[in-house]
Amino acid sequence: MPNRPTMQPQAYPFSREITKYIDNFVTRLRRGQVVESKDIAIETASLMRHVISDTSLESVDMLVDLIKAVGRRLVEALPRELLIVNAFCWLLHVVREESESVEFVEDAWASGKP
């Protein structure tokens, strides 16, 4: 089997506040303080709302990288919790879908066919 280069995920430069928020949630997950799926889902959504709103992003690719970086941290904390994986997959799907629809509208306007 040939050696294939693997891409290492790059650390995303979070603000101190966001890093503290993520670390707090990860610690609570590891300690078993957040156990029920409903609570994990609510706190994951709240975490992502804070992370996305408090981070300045210049492109959709940066947003996708940000979501993946946070998702990796949470999955490492609780790898058997499929809800976290599914939540981040769904969020990435929504972001990509919205990006494609915006590009479609922009292309339509640029071609003069709104």
Side-chain angles (χ1 to χ4, degrees), residues 29-89:
L29 283 173
R30 286 185 178 152
R31 290 181 180 169
Q33 294 172 341
V34 183
V35 181
E36 294 187 28
S37 293
K38 178 183 173 186
D39 295 334
I40 293 172
I42 290 170
E43 291 206 36
T44 300
S46 176
L47 169 73
M48 288 312 301
R49 183 177 52 83
H50 285 292
V51 169
I52 292 170
S53 66
D54 291 349
T55 307
S56 64
L57 302 166
E58 297 175 5
S59 68
V60 173
D61 292 332
M62 288 178 70
L63 177 59
V64 168
D65 290 342
L66 172 75
I67 293 168
K68 286 181 179 180
V70 175
R72 279 188 202 99
R73 293 277 314 272
L74 297 184
V75 169
E76 287 171 3
L78 204 62
R80 292 191 175 118
E81 183 58 61
L82 294 179
L83 184 135
I84 294 173
V85 175
N86 289 339
F88 280 93
C89 287

